[in-house]
Amino acid sequence: MAQKWRSTREEKKSATMSGQESSENSRSRPRPATPIDTARLDRLALDYVARYATNSLKLQHYLSRKIMQARQSGTLDEAAAQALGDHAAQIIARFAERGYVNDRAWAEMKASALRASGYGERRVRETLRHNGIESAVVDEIGLAPDEEGNMDPRFEIALRFAR
């Protein structure tokens, strides 16, 4: 009985090995580069915003990276890359206008998550600044104590928990 099980297992293993070899060969070949144009850039931006909570700087970096990849693959010349870069700026402005990208909401979410993780005000401010959030927005979201010296209630709870 045990011998039959081994032979069946070995047969299945050899059958899948031959199937894997053909798929491995197809994976080693690079996929052809997809040409990028304004419509594709719009779609990439919309898909990115739909999938990730993001701010305008992160979206700008993503679109710039996609344009650079197309440029490096040879599917895009310098003039077209410059035109797409200008179009990316228009996309970001349009998304911010429609509320798809909201730097303030993203900063509040990120600051809340960092505070909940136990990070201090300085680290939170530095992280937000590094992510392209303006200092005026950082001041507005209430990282610093208010006029009476009270911190955000969630921060005070975390501080009490840490003590």
Side-chain angles (χ1 to χ4, degrees):
M1 185 76 160
Q3 186 65 29
K4 185 176 180 184
W5 175 79
R6 279 192 193 127
S7 65
T8 306
R9 184 175 176 199
E10 289 173 6
E11 289 171 4
K12 287 180 181 178
K13 186 177 180 181
S14 65
T16 57
M17 291 287 282
S18 62
Q20 286 177 352
E21 290 172 8
S22 63
S23 66
E24 286 176 9
N25 289 337
S26 65
R27 288 183 195 161
S28 63
R29 286 180 277 153
R31 292 187 331 193
T34 306
I36 191 167
D37 59 356
T38 56
R40 178 152 167 76
L41 195 66
D42 283 336
R43 188 67 195 165
L44 286 170
L46 190 59
D47 289 345
Y48 185 78
V49 169
R51 186 169 185 170
Y52 302 105
T54 189
N55 62 11
S56 56
L57 182 67
K58 286 182 175 266
L59 181 59
Q60 177 189 1
H61 285 302
Y62 174 75
L63 295 176
S64 297
R65 186 172 65 246
K66 290 299 180 183
I67 293 169
M68 182 185 67
Q69 288 171 348
R71 179 82 174 99
Q72 289 174 345
S73 69
T75 60
L76 202 61
D77 63 351
E78 187 63 36
Q82 183 64 34
L84 283 177
D86 296 338
H87 185 69
Q90 293 171 359
I91 291 171
I92 294 167
R94 187 174 68 232
F95 280 15
E97 179 182 303
R98 292 180 181 171
Y100 299 162
V101 175
N102 186 338
D103 287 351
R104 181 184 169 84
W106 185 88
E108 289 173 351
M109 181 265 315
K110 187 69 172 178
S112 176
L114 290 171
R115 279 191 222 126
S117 297
Y119 290 105
E121 177 188 349
R122 187 170 139 201
R123 173 68 185 268
V124 173
R125 283 181 178 277
E126 188 64 29
T127 300
L128 294 178
R129 197 189 80 201
H130 176 73
N131 284 297
I133 304 300
E134 297 175 5
S135 60
V137 173
V138 173
D139 291 338
E140 287 176 14
I141 63 172
L143 289 176
D146 61 9
E147 294 80 27
E148 299 170 2
N150 298 327
M151 296 296 287
D152 182 29
R154 293 172 292 187
F155 183 74
E156 289 180 4
I157 291 169
L159 191 60
R160 271 186 262 137
F161 177 77
R163 288 183 188 149

